Amino acid sequence: MGGVKLELRCPKKAYSIALDPNPDWTFDDLVSELNALEIKINSGSKVPLPFAKEKSRDLPNRKSNGRKSSSPFVMRVFEDDMDNFENEDEEVHDKKSGGGRRFNFDDLYLSDSDDSGDESSFSPEPYLMLKVDIAESGLLELSREHQFRVKEEIRNQISALETELKSETDKSTSALVRVEKYRKERSEMDRKLDTQYQREIAEALDNHLTSVQRDLEVRSQMEERKIRIDAAYEDAKRKEAEEKLRQERAKAEAEAKRAEEAKRAEEAKRAALEAQRRAAEEAAAKKASETLKKPDTDANLGASTAQSGGSQIIKPAAAANKIRAAESALTLEQGRLQKLKQLDEEVQALKSSSNENFAKYERQISKLIQQITGTTESVRTKEYELLKVFCNSPCPPSLSSLALAKKVVANCKRPGNPAFAQAYVIVRITSKAPHAMDLILAELHKACIYTVPKHCSRSAFGSNEAYFKALGFQEDDEGKIESVDSYLTRLESYMKLYGALVQQTDMNNVHGLKEGWAWLARFVNALPANRYTAVALSAFIRMAGYSLFRKYRNQFLKLLNMVSDNFLNALREQGDSQLNPVIVEIDSYIKDREFLREPEGRQLKSNLQSDRSVP
């Protein structure tokens, strides 16, 4: 039976050494390889090996044994001896085996006898010990030493790892115990802190609620006190307003009573004059009838005397009926016109005696008045610039006041004249210079006699031209009198400005609602009903009626009732179709109670026309 070929079940490499050498090596090649292997092991080992040699092996040549040098060297290892080696060090060899050569144990013949099939015949150690030479035994010893050393190193590493693992486990257990203890302590501390915080929050909330309740009580007491004070103030104010209203009513009633008495006295006077005229006419007629019985010369003389006597009696009556106005209004007009005349003379004398050019100030005042619009910004700007001319310029106050009066009245003829805005500027300026208001009113009286108010009777004038000039009609460049419609347009603009002036409720207004109420009473009592007076009345009440009603209430309504019952009925009785528009206008104003609504333009517009400012 031939030999058994065993294959090692160990790693093919260990420490970069191949366990399966080339089977075709010669013995010399094997010796050379062993020497190189010893040198490599000695140089790579950290601990000196006990069998390390400094000199290489001097083995006899295999030719002396009668073998051919070309025959291969076969190293045989029994399988039973390698079982434990493979089982214990398989993992170590797998991890530490590196690149190197491999020894191949092929053609391992255990025995040539016929009893090779029996297991007892395979006794590897004696046979192998007897058969191997020194190199093979050295290699085997080296392999075993390496296995023992590797096993010992593995055991040491495993022991160190077990010790380290146990130490780490103990540390982890201790750390976990400490962490758990810390967690419990922290949880207990958090619980205590939460309890403390909740207690503090509850105390703070209770204090806050107490403070809020106390503040609410104090505030409620203050509100109650304020309400009581406001109620007392409102009560006192209401009583004061009622007392003031009662006084105003009593004053208005007294004024109405005086106006009524004045009207009655005027009617009585008129009746007395009429009776006197009739008596004079009757006397003249009686005297004329008596002279008819005398000779012709005496008759002619008596007739001429009667005619002359009649004319002398009629003239005073005609003169008395020439002007229809209240005496107080005529007195005020005369005083204002006298001031205007005196100031005009002073200004003319000043211009003639001074070399200063005052015309530029007059042009500046005229320009500023023409630039006034119905916005708050425009009114404030023009008021400021006009006050600069009055107070901070070398222009004399007399000249600036006269120029203001003339330019304001002249600007009324401009279409779309903002009467309320101009009135606001005039009132603010005249509050600083009160004498300027009399000059403006004097100029208005000269331009429109119905601002007095007064009216001239047509029968007192010899021609229509003289009558129209007395009413205020203007002549053109050719000397022609303007038309009635043109005159009524100017009259309406003047009356609108006058109504806007008197309705200004500024405390510094020197010609305010009191003067407006006096004008309306004088108008109703003294002026006749015609087209001119109707236009003047309509323009005035549309501008000032709202403010007059707010101040005089029932007394103003009484005057409107007088206008409706007497003035409008007198207009209707004339049967003039040209009066119908103004009659309808006044009647609708009274019946629709338009005096309850604020007139358009009374409130100045802001620049953005979104807000409104009450002057």
Side-chain angles (χ1 to χ4, degrees):
M1 184 174 181
V4 178
K5 184 179 182 180
L6 297 178
E7 293 290 339
L8 292 177
R9 291 183 294 176
C10 63
K12 295 182 179 181
K13 289 184 180 181
Y15 292 97
S16 303
I17 301 174
L19 302 181
D20 187 11
N22 190 352
D24 295 331
W25 284 3
T26 60
F27 183 75
D28 295 333
D29 295 333
L30 181 59
V31 172
S32 300
E33 187 68 23
L34 287 175
N35 292 332
L37 182 61
E38 287 180 357
I39 295 171
K40 186 175 182 180
I41 290 174
N42 291 332
S43 63
S45 176
K46 296 179 181 180
V47 181
L49 298 177
F51 53 87
K53 296 181 180 181
E54 296 178 358
K55 298 180 180 180
S56 61
R57 291 181 175 85
D58 295 331
L59 298 178
N61 195 348
R62 293 296 301 269
K63 293 181 179 180
S64 61
N65 296 332
R67 296 183 182 178
K68 296 181 179 180
S69 60
S70 61
S71 61
F73 170 76
V74 180
M75 184 174 184
R76 301 181 185 274
V77 180
F78 291 100
E79 184 177 0
D80 294 335
D81 294 335
M82 297 303 295
D83 289 337
N84 293 331
F85 175 77
E86 291 175 357
N87 293 333
E88 292 176 359
D89 298 334
E90 182 177 1
E91 183 177 357
V92 176
H93 285 291
D94 290 335
K95 293 180 179 179
K96 296 185 178 182
S97 60
R101 296 184 181 180
R102 181 182 177 208
F103 291 358
N104 189 7
F105 297 93
D106 295 335
D107 300 330
L108 179 60
Y109 297 94
L110 300 179
S111 175
D112 295 331
S113 62
D114 297 332
D115 298 332
S116 60
D118 191 0
E119 293 181 359
S120 60
S121 62
F122 295 95
S123 52
E125 285 190 359
Y127 181 77
L128 195 59
M129 291 298 293
L130 293 175
K131 295 297 182 182
V132 296
D133 56 6
I134 296 173
E136 291 175 353
S137 62
L139 181 60
L140 181 60
E141 185 67 22
L142 180 62
S143 298
R144 288 183 178 180
E145 287 292 334
H146 176 68
Q147 290 177 10
F148 293 153
R149 188 171 59 257
V150 170
K151 288 180 182 180
E152 186 65 24
E153 184 178 355
I154 290 173
R155 289 190 190 96
N156 293 335
Q157 290 181 359
I158 291 173
S159 178
L161 288 174
E162 288 178 352
T163 303
E164 185 178 358
L165 180 61
K166 184 177 180 181
S167 176
E168 291 295 332
T169 303
D170 294 339
K171 290 181 181 179
S172 299
T173 304
S174 177
L176 289 175
V177 170
R178 290 196 302 274
V179 169
E180 184 65 22
K181 183 177 179 181
Y182 176 77
R183 186 184 65 79
K184 291 181 179 180
E185 293 176 354
R186 186 73 182 191
S187 177
E188 183 67 20
M189 185 181 297
D190 291 342
R191 187 183 63 80
K192 292 180 179 179
L193 290 175
D194 289 342
T195 304
Q196 183 179 356
Y197 289 160
Q198 289 176 2
R199 186 181 300 110
E200 292 177 357
I201 290 172
E203 292 176 358
L205 181 60
D206 184 56
N207 295 333
H208 175 69
L209 292 177
T210 304
S211 177
V212 169
Q213 185 177 3
R214 185 169 56 253
D215 292 342
L216 289 176
E217 291 177 356
V218 173
R219 188 174 299 176
S220 63
Q221 293 176 1
M222 293 176 63
E223 290 293 335
E224 291 176 359
R225 189 182 300 110
K226 184 177 179 182
I227 290 172
R228 289 196 299 269
I229 293 173
D230 292 342
Y233 177 75
E234 291 294 332
D235 189 27
K237 189 175 180 181
R238 180 179 57 80
K239 290 181 179 179
E240 183 181 357
E242 290 178 355
E243 182 65 22
K244 187 176 180 180
L245 181 61
R246 187 185 63 78
Q247 293 178 0
E248 290 178 352
R249 286 180 179 176
K251 188 177 180 181
E253 290 176 356
E255 290 181 356
K257 187 176 181 180
R258 286 196 300 269
E260 186 69 22
E261 291 176 355
K263 183 178 180 181
R264 291 176 182 176
E266 186 72 21
E267 291 178 353
K269 185 178 179 180
R270 195 177 301 166
L273 291 174
E274 186 67 20
Q276 185 180 0
R277 185 181 64 79
R278 289 178 182 177
E281 289 179 355
E282 290 177 358
K286 184 177 181 181
K287 189 175 182 179
S289 62
E290 289 178 355
T291 56
L292 291 175
K293 298 178 180 180
K294 294 182 180 182
D296 295 336
T297 55
D298 296 334
N300 294 332
L301 181 60
S304 61
T305 304
Q307 291 175 1
S308 61
S311 62
Q312 290 174 359
I313 296 173
I314 292 172
K315 282 182 180 179
N321 294 331
K322 182 177 180 180
I323 301 298
R324 302 283 297 274
E327 292 183 2
S328 59
L330 293 176
T331 303
L332 291 173
E333 179 194 16
Q334 291 300 323
R336 291 163 183 163
L337 291 176
Q338 186 66 24
K339 290 181 181 179
L340 179 64
K341 183 178 179 181
Q342 292 177 358
L343 188 63
D344 194 9
E345 293 174 355
E346 293 178 3
V347 169
Q348 294 301 328
L350 180 63
K351 288 182 178 180
S352 61
S353 61
S354 176
N355 295 326
E356 183 73 20
N357 183 16
F358 297 113
K360 60 180 181 179
Y361 300 110
E362 295 179 355
R363 290 194 298 269
Q364 184 179 3
I365 292 173
S366 177
K367 181 180 179 181
L368 291 174
I369 292 173
Q370 291 178 2
Q371 290 177 349
I372 295 175
T373 60
T375 61
T376 306
E377 185 66 25
S378 173
V379 168
R380 291 178 179 175
T381 304
K382 302 308 180 255
E383 172 196 345
Y384 174 73
E385 294 178 358
L386 285 171
L387 286 175
K388 283 175 58 179
V389 175
F390 270 75
C391 304
N392 300 326
S393 68
C395 180
S398 58
L399 190 146
S400 58
S401 300
L402 183 62
L404 177 67
K406 291 182 179 295
K407 301 305 178 182
V408 164
V409 175
N411 193 57
C412 288
K413 296 183 291 185
R414 184 167 59 94
N417 180 46
F420 285 110
Q422 281 194 356
Y424 180 80
V425 175
I426 292 170
V427 168
R428 295 300 299 272
I429 292 175
T430 54
S431 64
K432 305 291 189 303
H435 65 280
M437 180 62 79
D438 288 336
L439 301 179
I440 294 173
L441 293 175
E443 286 290 341
L444 280 174
H445 296 339
K446 287 176 60 177
C448 178
I449 62 173
Y450 297 103
T451 58
V452 177
K454 70 177 182 179
H455 177 70
C456 299
S457 299
R458 185 167 190 150
S459 59
F461 298 91
S463 63
N464 290 335
E465 184 177 355
Y467 173 67
F468 289 147
K469 286 183 179 180
L471 292 181
F473 279 75
Q474 294 181 351
E475 295 180 355
D476 57 10
D477 296 337
E478 297 178 357
K480 294 182 181 181
I481 301 296
E482 65 178 333
S483 64
V484 176
D485 293 336
S486 175
Y487 170 74
L488 290 177
T489 302
R490 286 194 305 106
L491 184 152
E492 185 178 14
S493 64
Y494 293 136
M495 290 306 305
K496 283 184 176 180
L497 178 60
Y498 183 75
L501 279 175
V502 300
Q503 67 86 39
Q504 287 290 338
T505 56
D506 196 316
M507 296 298 294
N508 297 323
N509 189 1
V510 297
H511 195 80
L513 288 175
K514 181 180 178 181
E515 303 298 331
W517 175 260
W519 183 93
L520 187 58
R522 292 165 184 163
F523 183 94
V524 173
N525 292 327
L527 268 63
N530 57 38
R531 187 178 180 186
Y532 308 125
T533 57
V535 172
L537 177 63
S538 175
F540 178 82
I541 61 175
R542 279 188 284 115
M543 299 297 287
Y546 174 76
S547 297
L548 288 173
F549 173 74
R550 294 180 64 185
K551 182 173 178 63
Y552 296 102
R553 298 288 178 177
N554 293 333
Q555 300 302 321
F556 179 72
L557 295 179
K558 290 180 180 179
L559 281 181
L560 290 184
N561 290 334
M562 292 178 62
V563 170
S564 179
D565 296 338
N566 300 329
F567 190 84
L568 293 182
N569 289 334
L571 290 176
R572 294 188 184 98
E573 290 175 357
Q574 295 180 18
D576 189 356
S577 60
Q578 295 180 347
L579 294 173
N580 291 335
V582 69
I583 291 174
V584 171
E585 190 174 31
I586 298 174
D587 189 52
S588 63
Y589 180 86
I590 297 174
K591 290 183 178 179
D592 297 341
R593 302 176 69 86
E594 294 183 14
F595 50 83
L596 298 177
R597 295 189 294 272
E598 191 173 22
E600 184 180 359
R602 185 175 183 271
Q603 287 188 350
L604 301 180
K605 298 179 180 179
S606 65
N607 291 339
L608 299 178
Q609 296 185 0
S610 58
D611 301 328
R612 293 184 178 273
S613 174
V614 178

